[in-house]
Amino acid sequence: METMIGVIGGSGLYEFEGLEDAAWQSVDTPWGAPSDEILTGRVGGVAMAFLPRHGRGHVHSPSSVPYRANVDALKRLGVTDVISVSACGSFREEMAPGDFVMVDQFVDRTFAREKSFFGPGCVAHVSAAHPTCPRLGAACFEAAQAQGITVHQGGTYLAMEGPQFSTLAESRIYREQWGCDVIGMTNMPEAKLAREAELCYASVAMVTDYDSWHPDHGEVDVTQIIKTLMGNAEKARGMVARLPALLGAERLPCPHGCDRALEYAIMTAPEKRDPALVARLDAVAGRIL
Ligand SMILES: CSC[C@H]1O[C@H](OP(=O)(O)O)[C@H](O)[C@@H]1O
Ligand SMILES: Nc1ncnc2[nH]cnc12
């Protein structure tokens, strides 16, 4: 099987330069249109696909991002490994603006989004205990280090609904009582959907601010975030460009089972399954349905 790296670019990452044979492709999915066309091409002999999460020109809010269509479209194109590159606030002094954090856990506080490809007529329960892929995460960590980026291994990402930033009381609870490390608005349900689609998923969180808890820093504002993002985006592109060499063109099965997540997850008896839903699941679950 061939490796295909899918990059979901967050705030500040709307284009991806340096792909050979680059072409923007429009992809239709049974879950509607993705956030934008998808840029496909190759780097160092490895296939890549890039999707700007908010669309070029930042059209989608965190709540309106079509997460299911995005994940389905990447899977449909043949993507095997998804890397999310996101802006985030930090709850830790040592995770400073400009640093990257390899997120490995999430607390999902989002509530106004479609969270699953499955539902009435085809019910499935995948494990989300370890929502990111250690193999892919390790490659991203190595690539970031080689790029000279200050990168932290492991961190818990609080996914909030937004679009407003947190109140001071919320920020303190997430940091002091819940032990979260960073905060953002988009990695959920994206990570859960990637797991349902049997895709390896890694999240690279780029710190842009200290949210609102830090006594020596003012409240978050978008101008400050964009300023930090401008520097971060270039670093992120450099990191991603190193991944093909680390992952290789031949895709070996995921040692952590991300690519077999649905194996024992589907509960609905074959004769009770809704044919219309099964048809919509052609890309996501076609391997086993
Ligand atoms: C521009 S600040 C808030 C915005 O940025 C992050 O988006 P993404 O994760 O796509 O980089 C954050 O989650 C908010 O959506
Ligand atoms: N402090 C913050 N809260 C939520 N999302 C963010 N994205 C960047 N900074 C953020």
Side-chain angles (χ1 to χ4, degrees):
M1 192 182 186
E2 202 197 341
T3 303
M4 186 171 191
I5 301 171
V7 177
I8 302 182
S11 297
L13 259 188
Y14 310 105
E15 303 276 345
F16 196 89
E17 281 151 30
L19 288 187
E20 301 142 33
D21 306 324
W24 286 95
Q25 291 191 33
S26 102
V27 183
D28 288 331
T29 88
W31 316 94
S35 299
D36 201 335
E37 292 178 330
I38 299 180
L39 182 69
T40 57
R42 301 186 85 79
V43 174
V46 177
M48 288 194 77
F50 171 79
L51 172 60
R53 178 184 284 126
H54 301 275
R56 283 167 287 180
H58 207 112
V59 179
H60 286 286
S61 83
S63 307
S64 79
V65 168
Y67 294 98
R68 293 191 299 185
N70 288 353
V71 171
D72 178 294
L74 292 175
K75 175 94 185 178
R76 205 168 278 282
L77 281 175
V79 165
T80 53
D81 297 81
V82 175
I83 293 142
S84 151
V85 184
S86 290
C88 71
S90 167
F91 292 132
R92 304 281 155 230
E93 188 84 52
E94 68 277 16
M95 295 178 176
D99 290 5
F100 285 20
V101 180
M102 286 310 310
V103 169
D104 59 359
Q105 279 297 333
F106 296 97
V107 173
D108 185 3
R109 291 252 310 150
T110 64
F111 51 81
R113 305 170 188 195
E114 294 289 351
K115 297 212 177 193
S116 178
F117 289 108
F118 297 89
C122 194
V123 176
H125 303 279
V126 297
S127 170
H130 302 286
T132 62
C133 176
R135 175 172 72 174
L136 187 57
C140 294
F141 184 74
E142 198 179 331
Q145 278 197 319
Q147 191 64 21
I149 296 165
T150 303
V151 53
H152 304 265
Q153 181 65 283
T156 300
Y157 174 116
L158 184 298
M160 63 181 295
E161 186 60 46
Q164 303 84 357
F165 295 114
S166 352
T167 64
L168 176 56
E170 288 164 343
S171 195
R172 285 184 178 151
I173 289 171
Y174 302 152
R175 169 184 140 80
E176 292 163 24
Q177 294 175 30
W178 293 9
C180 296
D181 300 300
V182 294
I183 182 164
M185 304 179 189
T186 61
N187 279 200
M188 282 292 172
E190 192 174 88
K192 288 175 179 166
L193 294 168
R195 175 58 51 81
E196 286 189 346
E198 299 191 321
L199 293 167
C200 292
Y201 183 88
S203 166
V204 182
M206 310 188 301
V207 177
T208 51
D209 55 85
Y210 279 114
D211 203 44
S212 50
W213 65 274
H214 201 300
D216 304 335
H217 292 265
E219 5 185 295
V220 205
D221 73 75
V222 164
T223 325
Q224 175 205 345
I225 290 180
I226 290 169
K227 218 165 132 195
T228 313
L229 274 180
M230 290 301 136
N232 275 0
E234 225 20 75
K235 291 200 252 177
R237 275 190 272 269
M239 181 203 75
V240 169
R242 290 177 184 272
L243 286 172
L246 291 167
L247 293 173
E250 190 197 341
R251 180 59 161 53
L252 300 173
C254 174
H256 309 283
C258 302
D259 50 7
R260 299 178 295 286
L262 287 173
E263 207 81 50
Y264 305 106
I266 298 180
M267 300 285 293
T268 310
E271 69 280 7
K272 297 279 184 178
R273 290 179 191 161
D274 170 9
L277 178 53
V278 170
R280 289 178 98 192
L281 290 164
D282 64 334
V284 164
R287 187 183 73 82
I288 58 160
L289 279 179

